[in-house]
Amino acid sequence: LAMGQQLWNHADLLERFRPVIVRLCKDPHPAVRIAAVRACLPILNVDKSFAIECFCEASSEDLRVAACREAVYFFSTGMHSHTERLAPLVIRMLEAPQARVAEAGAQEVAARWLFNDYFMAELDHCLQGGVPQRKGVAKIAARFVAEADHFDKCSRLIERLKDDPNEEVRQSLHSVVRSTDILQLPEGVALVRSFVQSQAFRDDPTGLIRGLDGHVGTLMPFSDVLLSMCDQFVGPLRDACRDSSLTISHDISVFVPILVRLHEQAEESGNTQIVNQCLDAWDAMFERRIAVVHELATAIG
């Protein structure tokens, strides 16, 4: 670690440190090899081939090293130029018995497919694979879907995984709707509306509700999303919404004022269709006793 820190500011020390780094990358303890990998990070700027070779050597006997947080820099920097060294390592990670390693390998597969169109066959393998592989893909899709350049690819993955039979996989998608960033993209509203109709949303609607609650602009472009949320609350989530011991009961108390804001904005803009849809949504919530009646009345009044 001390050598790595020095190399950030003194690249000329590389030749002096090189033999020691090579030796440390073969150390019998994985924690030492991970530290050696960290020391190689600044070397990526001056001798990329040597740095990647050290990383591969350090990872060769224990794939947990290849799953350390510093590994992503080696894969990102070197996959195009050193495919023959790094690609087999990623493929080995996918089949690792440790769930964390397999998940990290799947993240690399998804990321390299997203950015460089690599690993197409392996991506399909991950989507049909075990929970760690599907979680890895889900995390990458959720992380980059709000970026316009990657929306199309990520949205296809999200559509594939949003009703995954495993709750951990679905939970990996929740960051998609923790802010309204995705709703700023032209196609984002349709994706979020589809997400609202999924099991992933029904697992935990809190993130989207908080994201919309913190949105300071107009809600009019998101009216379809809000009304679709109402359909879930009075439909599949009705019983959960009526259970005061569950978090979703509080979520509803936050959601109702958001719907009121939409109603007010629709009235101000003269959009009678959305006004009537909001009124219909309130009627449905009253009828099915979603949230406390006096809270609804107060919010509407």
Side-chain angles (χ1 to χ4, degrees):
L1 294 177
M3 287 191 294
Q5 188 62 41
Q6 289 297 313
L7 286 169
W8 281 115
N9 299 314
H10 304 284
D12 56 296
L13 291 173
L14 174 57
E15 293 309 314
R16 183 176 179 180
F17 292 162
R18 192 185 294 264
V20 185
I21 291 173
V22 169
R23 181 174 176 179
L24 290 171
C25 286
K26 299 177 181 180
D27 191 273
H29 200 290
V32 176
R33 297 199 301 277
I34 288 174
V37 166
R38 189 176 300 172
C40 287
L41 285 176
I43 303 176
L44 285 169
N45 298 322
V46 293
D47 191 341
K48 183 165 69 172
S49 293
F50 174 67
I52 290 173
E53 192 59 38
C54 287
F55 169 66
C56 291
E57 176 64 35
S59 305
S60 61
E61 299 300 323
D62 191 334
L63 291 173
R64 291 177 298 174
V65 177
C68 70
R69 63 181 181 179
E70 290 80 14
V72 66
Y73 296 101
F74 294 87
F75 290 124
S76 298
T77 303
M79 185 60 73
H80 181 69
S81 58
H82 294 73
T83 311
E84 72 288 349
R85 289 294 284 134
L86 293 173
L89 184 58
V90 171
I91 294 171
R92 285 180 58 205
M93 292 170 69
L94 291 178
E95 305 302 331
Q98 302 95 340
R100 184 175 66 86
V101 176
E103 181 181 322
Q107 288 190 52
E108 284 305 321
V109 164
R112 300 315 135 206
W113 171 77
L114 185 62
F115 302 136
N116 311 107
D117 287 324
Y118 295 156
F119 296 122
M120 295 182 68
E122 288 76 15
L123 178 69
D124 188 61
H125 170 75
C126 289
L127 290 169
Q128 300 180 54
V131 170
Q133 288 86 355
R134 302 199 309 274
K135 280 177 63 178
V137 173
K139 287 181 178 180
I140 292 298
R143 179 178 176 183
F144 292 102
V145 68
E147 298 185 12
D149 291 344
H150 306 307
F151 176 84
D152 289 341
K153 284 184 171 181
C154 290
S155 62
R156 296 204 301 270
L157 297 177
I158 291 167
E159 289 288 355
R160 176 81 175 264
L161 295 168
K162 62 186 174 64
D163 288 299
D164 191 274
N166 184 270
E167 186 175 357
E168 289 185 27
V169 176
R170 300 193 302 268
Q171 285 177 344
S172 299
L173 295 173
H174 286 170
S175 61
V176 171
V177 291
R178 283 182 185 149
S179 73
T180 55
D181 291 348
I182 184 66
L183 293 171
Q184 310 307 317
L185 299 178
E187 308 90 345
V189 174
L191 176 64
V192 175
R193 182 177 182 181
S194 174
F195 187 87
V196 165
Q197 297 166 356
S198 73
Q199 185 59 50
F201 173 79
R202 291 191 287 273
D203 288 338
D204 184 5
T206 302
L208 181 56
I209 292 174
R210 289 180 177 174
L212 290 167
D213 185 46
H215 183 71
V216 295
T218 178
L219 296 168
M220 292 287 285
F222 317 145
S223 61
D224 284 350
V225 171
L226 286 161
L227 295 167
S228 292
M229 292 168 71
C230 285
D231 290 340
Q232 293 295 309
F233 296 145
V234 301
L237 291 172
R238 180 185 62 181
D239 291 341
C241 291
R242 295 167 63 178
D243 186 343
S244 60
S245 67
L246 299 179
T247 303
I248 192 172
S249 178
H250 172 72
D251 291 339
I252 292 296
S253 67
V254 178
F255 176 76
V256 169
I258 300 173
L259 193 61
V260 171
R261 285 170 52 201
L262 176 63
H263 177 266
E264 293 172 346
Q265 292 168 0
E267 279 193 324
E268 291 172 1
S269 63
N271 191 319
T272 56
Q273 180 181 358
I274 294 179
V275 168
N276 291 331
Q277 288 174 322
C278 289
L279 294 175
D280 290 342
W282 282 323
D283 286 343
M285 294 177 79
F286 270 121
E287 181 181 341
R288 292 164 178 80
R289 291 183 291 174
I290 302 301
V292 180
V293 173
H294 80 268
E295 287 182 356
L296 279 167
T298 301
I300 297 170

